[in-house]
Amino acid sequence: DNTVNKLRVANQTSGCLPNSGLITCHEGDGGGSFHGDRGDGDFRFDGDGCLDGDQDGVDSNNRGDGKDFHATRIDSIAIDSLGTTETIKGVGTSGGAPVSFAFVAVQGTSLTPGSITYSFSDGFSNSGLLTAGTILLQ
């Protein structure tokens, strides 16, 4: 309401999270397959919408137990001080049921492959090394 010059409530429900100028935007993309401790799976993530304007998200056709996963809301994206680990948290659906999630991607080196970890509020978690694909964090 511009006639009063007050902002009472604002809820951002999609798009890029606001950047206060204190947060540096980092590159964070990846996709591929992994050999997990609870089954083989696949992943795709985009955690750099503040750079490229793409919708941030995490998706999987098989999280390691045969169920798919699709993020519907991203609540936070954090990258460690070394720029090698990105953590994305939010909510989504797995096998059609609502779940909250934490997704952690670790960029590999020339000697070791990257790795991912999924944790879901339905009690399923899976972690393993990439067997194909890439994780790019900068």
Side-chain angles (χ1 to χ4, degrees):
D1 182 359
N2 286 335
T3 61
V4 179
N5 282 337
K6 286 188 203 176
L7 177 63
R8 297 190 189 273
V9 175
N11 292 319
Q12 182 171 339
T13 59
S14 66
C16 301
L17 297 173
N19 186 340
S20 66
L22 302 174
I23 301 169
T24 303
C25 193
H26 296 276
E27 176 74 25
D29 293 297
S33 56
F34 65 97
H35 178 69
D37 55 3
R38 302 215 24 223
D40 294 347
D42 62 66
F43 70 98
R44 289 173 309 287
F45 77 98
D46 189 328
D48 61 4
C50 55
L51 279 179
D52 60 19
D54 289 345
Q55 182 76 29
D56 292 332
V58 178
D59 290 286
S60 175
N61 291 321
N62 178 2
R63 58 187 197 164
D65 61 354
K67 292 183 180 178
D68 65 344
F69 170 74
H70 305 287
T72 57
R73 185 182 80 215
I74 302 299
D75 293 331
S76 67
I77 299 173
I79 193 161
D80 72 343
S81 62
L82 298 176
T84 59
T85 303
E86 184 168 75
T87 303
I88 303 174
K89 295 180 180 180
V91 296
T93 59
S94 179
V99 292
S100 59
F101 75 94
F103 173 81
V104 179
V106 179
Q107 184 169 286
T109 68
S110 60
L111 300 175
T112 60
S115 66
I116 67 104
T117 299
Y118 280 125
S119 298
F120 300 94
S121 61
D122 65 2
F124 183 76
S125 63
N126 201 3
S127 180
L129 297 175
L130 271 59
T131 56
T134 60
I135 294 172
L136 175 61
L137 305 175
Q138 294 179 342

